[in-house]
Amino acid sequence: MTAYREVVVRTPLALKVLPVVSVATFFIAWEIIVRTGVVPDTMLAAPSTVTQLLFDKFTNVDPDGALLHQHAWISIQEAFGGYFLALAVGLPLGLAMGWFNVAEGLARPIFEIIRPIPPVAWIPLTIFWFGIGLPGKIFIIWLGGLVPCVINAYVGVKMTNPTLIQMARTYGASDWQIFRQLCIPSALPMVFGALQIALACCWTNLVAAELLAADAGLGFMITMGRRLAMPEMVVLGMFMVGLTGAFIGVIIDKVEKRLLAGIRR
Amino acid sequence: MQDAARPRTKIEVCNLTKRFGELLVLNDISFSVAEGEFVAIVGPTGCGKTTFLNALSCLLPASAGQILIDGTPADPKRHNISYVFQEPTCLPWRTVRENVAYGMEVKGRPQREIDERMDNILELVGLTQCANLYPNQISASMQQRIAVSRAFAVDPDLLLMDEPYGQLDVKLRFYLEDELVNLWRKLKSTVLFITHNIEEAVYVAERILVLSNKPTRIKAEVKVDLPRPRDFMDPEFVRIREHVTDLIRWW
Ligand SMILES: Nc1ncnc2c1ncn2[C@@H]1O[C@H](COP(=O)(O)OP(=O)(O)O)[C@@H](O)[C@H]1O
Ligand SMILES: [Mg+2]
């Protein structure tokens, strides 16, 4: 037992103390810069002002028409709506494209044409088609999330060990059997990678979409802050976007660990 | 009806030729293998041994010639062909038992038959204890044993082995060769075993086909009519080994 004594890794003092020092200095300097007027408060809000607004926005719908958590909730709904649709379409499509020549031949050219167009560039068309409500935003987010899903699933299937495929062939396995029994399990790690990447993609595109066309959501709140010349609202919106994104990332990470432990590789 | 001294022909290879573009690798090879026979094929590296097996297993189309199993052209969907590759081919997401069962599963055998045969085979090769482990939890030699067990499990018409023990150390090799011979005698499969190790060939096979350099032909055929278990020190064993070595001294 003693032979396997756990190796204790101590965090050096510098790495414990300095982060605190650095963050504190950052916020204090920011506060001072705005308070003393080095940067005018029409261009940047002090942290204290932002904090004040943060608490205010939990109970006060003015001036942007909704409470803070309502904005966040709308954004989350849109992001996850688009995200799950992207998974539902992109993963099967990418898996099929990786193995079946018919799927690759048909879908690949169209995919390659659409891929380099940033999802944000679709916004004007989307407004024609869906207006500025939920469906339009879900469409944009779906488009953005689709790309990593398809690519990862496709690459995952292509990375299937060719000797395993030969082995299955000599036993007389059909294309469908090989796809189901070899290609999909081989692609799983890449598919799990896609879960993370696609979500990050969806969240980024969501905020972009809300900045340009929305009547609610965190991106909309940032835009309203700009229109109303309220830098504290802009900063608060940015902060919330970051926080919510990080929160979702942590959840996905947990789910992924569970699933991976379940399939055990 | 069958003459016991001359079992019927199981595999017939007629004028098998394989070219890669201009490169002629297999040059008009013909031979036949009797039912239940254990044939070893020895040849220099790069002479086309792997190509030969790939053609026999229909992984590669032959440029000319024919491979008949029981008188009909070889077809992985119709015949039971097993192929043990040089490198391990375990499916990492399946347990040892599920890996051994894979071939039977592909062929759609009923679950009861699979279970029965798995118990039997895992017992024979002593894998029962690790039946529920995953391939990354066992050694490379165990992985190759899984491939061999999987190959025998489908009760193959033709079992092809491409230097399966080439990368293992000597001691383990002896052990696995014994195990292989054991399986073959119990399950009565027809085996084509490729190796570049002459001693290994003489130890396991009933007949040895010696291949030439490219363009490859069968240069000679040596019968090994020794009792089993064979003894490396037996003068007759040594004589055959040296005979085969002489045949291929021209490599
Ligand atoms: N797919 C291929 N395309 C072209 N040449 C090949 C291919 N596969 C094998 N060869 C050539 O055929 C020859 C025999 O290869 P191989 O069957 O792997 O030999 P061995 O297994 O006896 O070492 C080699 O010279 C190799 O270069
Ligand atoms: Mg080879």
Side-chain angles (χ1 to χ4, degrees), chain B:
Chain B
M1 285 159 285
Q2 262 181 38
D3 187 351
R6 271 192 311 161
R8 68 192 188 89
T9 303
K10 181 81 180 173
I11 315 292
E12 199 157 8
V13 177
C14 319
N15 310 101
L16 181 65
T17 302
K18 180 67 196 176
R19 279 188 205 87
F20 291 110
E22 287 292 284
L23 182 71
L24 178 62
V25 178
L26 303 179
N27 183 15
D28 197 22
I29 294 182
S30 299
F31 68 95
S32 59
V33 181
E35 180 154 33
E37 198 179 9
F38 196 134
V39 176
I41 296 175
V42 293
T45 304
C47 78
K49 300 185 294 295
T50 300
T51 306
F52 183 50
L53 286 199
N54 286 346
L56 287 183
S57 60
C58 308
L59 284 175
L60 274 180
S63 306
Q66 233 186 351
I67 299 134
L68 302 176
I69 299 181
D70 291 327
T72 52
D75 173 2
K77 290 221 161 54
R78 184 134 44 102
H79 297 112
N80 287 339
I81 299 175
S82 287
Y83 192 155
V84 178
F85 294 84
Q86 223 163 336
E87 64 258 57
T89 46
C90 287
L91 308 180
W93 51 86
R94 281 175 171 243
T95 62
V96 169
R97 189 188 170 94
E98 290 162 352
N99 261 294
V100 176
Y102 181 71
M104 296 185 78
E105 242 174 70
V106 165
K107 291 178 182 299
R109 303 278 174 84
Q111 190 60 44
R112 185 141 41 84
E113 187 190 332
I114 295 182
D115 285 340
E116 236 165 67
R117 196 151 173 97
M118 280 311 107
D119 292 340
N120 188 0
I121 294 231
L122 290 177
E123 185 70 43
L124 265 180
V125 293
L127 285 173
T128 312
Q129 274 81 28
C130 47
N132 294 317
L133 295 181
Y134 284 83
N136 63 359
Q137 297 169 302
I138 61 179
S139 65
S141 66
M142 291 274 257
Q143 300 204 15
Q144 206 52 301
R145 288 166 73 190
I146 292 174
V148 172
S149 314
R150 176 175 60 201
F152 273 104
V154 296
D155 196 9
D157 294 313
L158 175 58
L159 171 49
L160 306 167
M161 306 183 82
D162 188 2
E163 308 192 34
Y165 306 136
Q167 279 119 352
L168 304 179
D169 64 74
V170 178
K171 204 174 144 204
L172 216 66
R173 231 174 132 131
F174 289 154
Y175 178 76
L176 292 177
E177 283 159 17
D178 279 336
E179 181 178 280
L180 172 65
V181 169
N182 218 349
L183 275 171
W184 164 70
R185 294 175 81 184
K186 288 223 168 75
L187 304 174
K188 304 182 172 43
S189 304
T190 309
V191 182
L192 266 184
F193 183 94
I194 281 187
T195 176
H196 60 242
N197 183 327
I198 296 159
E199 192 167 59
E200 185 176 40
V202 180
Y203 189 68
V204 296
E206 295 180 291
R207 185 154 60 109
I208 299 174
L209 302 178
V210 183
L211 299 183
S212 68
N213 258 318
K214 268 188 310 222
T216 305
R217 308 201 56 145
I218 295 177
K219 191 173 172 186
E221 189 184 310
V222 179
K223 281 231 179 288
V224 188
D225 198 4
L226 295 175
R228 297 178 195 267
R230 289 178 180 165
D231 177 5
F232 293 96
M233 294 308 178
D234 177 18
E236 187 58 15
F237 186 101
V238 174
R239 191 192 65 73
I240 296 175
R241 200 193 67 210
E242 279 172 357
H243 175 54
V244 177
T245 312
D246 276 340
L247 279 171
I248 54 188
R249 187 150 289 164
W250 306 97
W251 284 358

Side-chain angles (χ1 to χ4, degrees), chain A residues 24-39 46-48:
Chain A
T25 315
F26 176 76
F27 280 102
I28 291 170
W30 177 2
E31 183 80 32
I32 291 173
I33 285 174
V34 179
R35 282 289 164 98
T36 55
V38 175
V39 175
S48 57

Side-chain angles (χ1 to χ4, degrees), chain A residues 24-259:
Chain A
T25 315
F26 176 76
F27 280 102
I28 291 170
W30 177 2
E31 183 80 32
I32 291 173
I33 285 174
V34 179
R35 282 289 164 98
T36 55
V38 175
V39 175
D41 62 1
T42 51
M43 291 174 78
L44 187 64
S48 57
T49 325
V50 175
T51 315
Q52 228 174 341
L53 182 68
L54 169 71
F55 288 111
D56 187 44
K57 280 303 294 172
F58 277 116
T59 51
N60 184 1
V61 296
D62 289 333
D64 48 292
L67 300 178
L68 185 61
H69 51 274
Q70 290 171 333
H71 283 304
W73 178 234
I74 286 176
S75 294
I76 289 175
Q77 273 178 307
E78 290 168 347
F80 274 93
Y83 175 64
F84 285 120
L85 278 180
L87 296 185
V89 176
L91 295 178
L93 181 64
L95 291 171
M97 279 167 66
W99 179 243
F100 296 105
N101 288 335
V102 175
E104 180 166 9
L106 288 176
R108 180 98 192 245
I110 296 179
F111 181 72
E112 292 296 340
I113 291 170
I114 292 180
R115 181 157 81 126
I117 304 173
V120 185
W122 287 82
I123 289 178
L125 273 185
T126 314
I127 295 177
F128 292 158
W129 298 340
F130 301 102
I132 57 169
L134 190 69
K137 239 123 345 128
I138 288 188
F139 177 73
I140 299 284
I141 295 156
W142 174 74
L143 266 179
L146 201 60
V147 173
C149 287
V150 170
I151 293 179
N152 269 41
Y154 174 84
V155 172
V157 169
K158 288 281 180 207
M159 282 185 346
T160 309
N161 181 349
T163 316
L164 292 186
I165 295 177
Q166 291 193 331
M167 183 272 289
R169 284 233 187 278
T170 55
Y171 286 114
S174 64
D175 274 352
W176 175 248
Q177 276 178 319
I178 293 177
F179 179 63
R180 210 163 41 83
Q181 295 170 339
L182 301 185
C183 296
I184 293 181
S186 296
L188 274 189
M190 287 296 284
V191 166
F192 279 114
L195 297 188
Q196 285 267 18
I197 301 170
L199 189 66
C201 224
C202 286
W203 191 245
T204 314
N205 284 319
L206 163 88
V207 174
E210 282 182 347
L211 283 173
L212 292 174
D215 47 15
L218 292 173
F220 171 73
M221 197 173 124
I222 296 175
T223 315
M224 283 307 283
R226 175 180 64 78
R227 287 207 199 125
L228 299 170
M230 286 176 66
E232 64 271 31
M233 192 181 282
V234 174
V235 174
L236 177 62
M238 290 169 66
F239 174 72
M240 284 303 293
V241 165
L243 192 70
T244 317
F247 179 66
I248 295 173
V250 169
I251 291 179
I252 284 289
D253 205 38
K254 286 249 154 61
V255 172
E256 192 180 329
K257 288 230 171 71
R258 273 276 169 82
L259 288 173

